[in-house]
Amino acid sequence: MTTTSAFEIIKPGIHSLIQDLGRFGYQHLGITPGGPADLHSYLWANKILSNNSNMASIEIHYGLISLTVLTETRIAICGAEFSVTINDEPALNWQTHNVKAGDIIQYGGAKTGKCGYLAVLGGLQTEQIYQSRSTVIRDELSESTSTPLYKRQILPITRQSVKQLTAGSLTCARVPRHYIPNYSTPLILGLLPCYQWQQLTLQQQQQLLTTKYQISAQADRMGYRLTGEMIANLPTTLASEGIALGSVQLPADGQPIILLQDRQTIGGYPKAGVISALDCSKLSQRQQGSDITFKLENPAVSRYKTQGFMHFFDL
């Protein structure tokens, strides 16, 4: 597959990474799956470009990234509201834009939400390690998959995608309004009780479900630590076990941690259960200090929602 340079990084922003759907089947080796923090926004960015769902894009945390376009192509902007401009002209969120060599794409700081996606027609063609281009910094699998974007970095795409643009329509595509989230609404996370749920007392269970938590400053791609009323006298003698996406961990300080894409592969703290990948996406867009509450989720309802979501995006 022949490639061509698509973007040069002028400013990398605060924390900008390459992400595809992630690397699966390697947790027994201690390799974290990684993948997009906000699956909803990532998938929509690819969908409105008619990309395959697994095509790599830039995941932008907190904004402030700027790039030079090196070839004519089409991009999609989705996720947090960063007030993006192309050549100093506003570029609307949740839609595609046609760009050409010499154009400058600039992101401001996050107004609502926390992370966004800049996808490109045909997907970015960075190095693939263990069948994925996703960046997981602490795994140190290779230089390109363990390093955030940096100044003067060149990002390639396929030559075929450039030809595809020439042959295709110039009409921009936009995400339908009813699929665009509101990142300012209160967030209630559906908890599927499992792991050590039955080892918690009724009082501990009710405390988790009735406490209004806030997102602490310790919130990143590995996990979101919440702060609220301490849950006391938690189980302590547990064997380490595999950690699922969205696991609600209860460490000794009694403050829940929701484990996300860059989580450790095994752990021994008690866990009340898990939240769905869809709720993980919603959580990833909430900033420090946002209110979080839990409710018990019906497994059948959660499965129905997840299956519908996966079918919609051909996953």
Side-chain angles (χ1 to χ4, degrees):
M1 180 185 296
T2 57
T3 62
T4 187
S5 300
F7 306 108
E8 180 179 1
I9 305 299
I10 302 171
K11 291 196 307 182
I14 295 174
H15 192 61
S16 304
L17 312 167
I18 303 297
Q19 294 295 340
D20 57 19
L21 287 175
R23 48 185 64 85
F24 298 95
Y26 301 104
Q27 291 192 70
H28 65 291
L29 301 177
I31 296 174
T32 302
D38 179 0
L39 185 62
H40 175 89
S41 299
Y42 163 88
L43 288 172
W44 267 114
N46 273 318
K47 189 174 183 69
I48 58 178
L49 287 169
S50 298
N51 278 351
N52 179 289
S53 295
N54 196 33
M55 287 185 172
S57 61
I58 305 176
E59 180 177 275
I60 299 161
H61 292 261
Y62 305 105
L64 305 180
I65 185 175
S66 57
L67 315 87
T68 300
V69 179
L70 302 178
T71 189
E72 184 179 14
T73 187
R74 180 178 296 141
I75 63 171
I77 298 168
C78 288
E81 179 54 62
F82 289 118
S83 298
V84 183
T85 62
I86 300 174
N87 299 329
D88 296 324
E89 294 294 326
L92 293 178
N93 200 4
W94 299 100
Q95 75 169 49
T96 63
H97 300 271
N98 296 307
V99 293
K100 62 186 185 301
D103 286 350
I104 304 295
I105 304 170
Q106 293 181 298
Y107 277 64
K111 290 186 174 181
T112 62
K114 189 175 178 181
C115 71
Y117 294 86
L118 175 60
V120 62
L121 189 67
L124 295 170
Q125 301 299 309
T126 53
E127 183 184 17
Q128 200 170 34
I129 299 291
Y130 288 102
Q131 301 177 302
S132 173
R133 308 181 200 278
S134 282
T135 304
V136 179
I137 293 172
R138 65 184 179 83
D139 277 358
E140 298 184 348
L141 297 178
S142 73
E143 183 176 353
S144 65
T145 61
S146 61
T147 307
L149 297 186
Y150 53 87
K151 187 175 181 179
R152 297 194 181 92
Q153 183 175 3
I154 303 296
L155 300 178
I157 56 174
T158 65
R159 289 189 182 276
Q160 183 61 37
S161 66
V162 176
K163 295 177 182 178
Q164 182 182 345
L165 174 69
T166 303
S169 168
L170 294 177
T171 304
C172 289
R174 182 166 172 78
V175 176
R177 185 176 298 275
H178 57 279
Y179 288 114
I180 299 176
N182 180 348
Y183 300 133
S184 301
T185 59
L187 183 57
I188 302 173
L189 301 173
L191 178 71
L192 294 167
C194 55
Y195 281 118
Q196 285 76 47
W197 176 257
Q198 297 300 333
Q199 296 182 33
L200 302 179
T201 66
L202 181 61
Q203 180 180 351
Q204 290 169 331
Q205 293 173 356
Q206 288 303 308
Q207 186 176 346
L208 180 66
L209 296 173
T210 57
T211 298
K212 180 184 287 187
Y213 292 100
Q214 286 76 44
I215 296 174
S216 77
Q218 295 174 282
D220 55 28
R221 283 180 47 87
M222 185 173 179
Y224 272 41
R225 181 181 290 272
L226 308 181
T227 59
E229 184 182 357
M230 173 185 175
I231 301 176
N233 302 315
L234 290 163
T236 55
T237 55
L238 298 174
S240 291
E241 57 188 342
I243 304 294
L245 174 67
S247 294
V248 181
Q249 185 172 265
L250 301 172
D253 66 1
Q255 304 292 349
I257 302 172
I258 303 175
L259 298 171
L260 299 174
Q261 283 71 20
D262 291 359
R263 64 196 179 277
Q264 69 272 31
T265 55
I266 62 172
Y269 285 120
K271 294 161 287 296
V274 298
I275 65 171
S276 70
L278 302 183
D279 276 358
C280 288
S281 292
K282 296 174 184 176
L283 178 63
S284 72
Q285 293 288 5
R286 265 45 178 202
Q287 298 187 9
Q288 178 183 349
S290 298
D291 290 337
I292 302 294
T293 54
F294 293 98
K295 67 173 182 179
L296 283 185
E297 184 73 280
N298 184 314
V301 172
S302 179
R303 183 167 58 250
Y304 174 78
K305 290 179 182 177
T306 302
Q307 288 175 342
F309 179 83
M310 295 177 70
H311 176 74
F312 184 78
F313 287 104
D314 297 321
L315 295 176

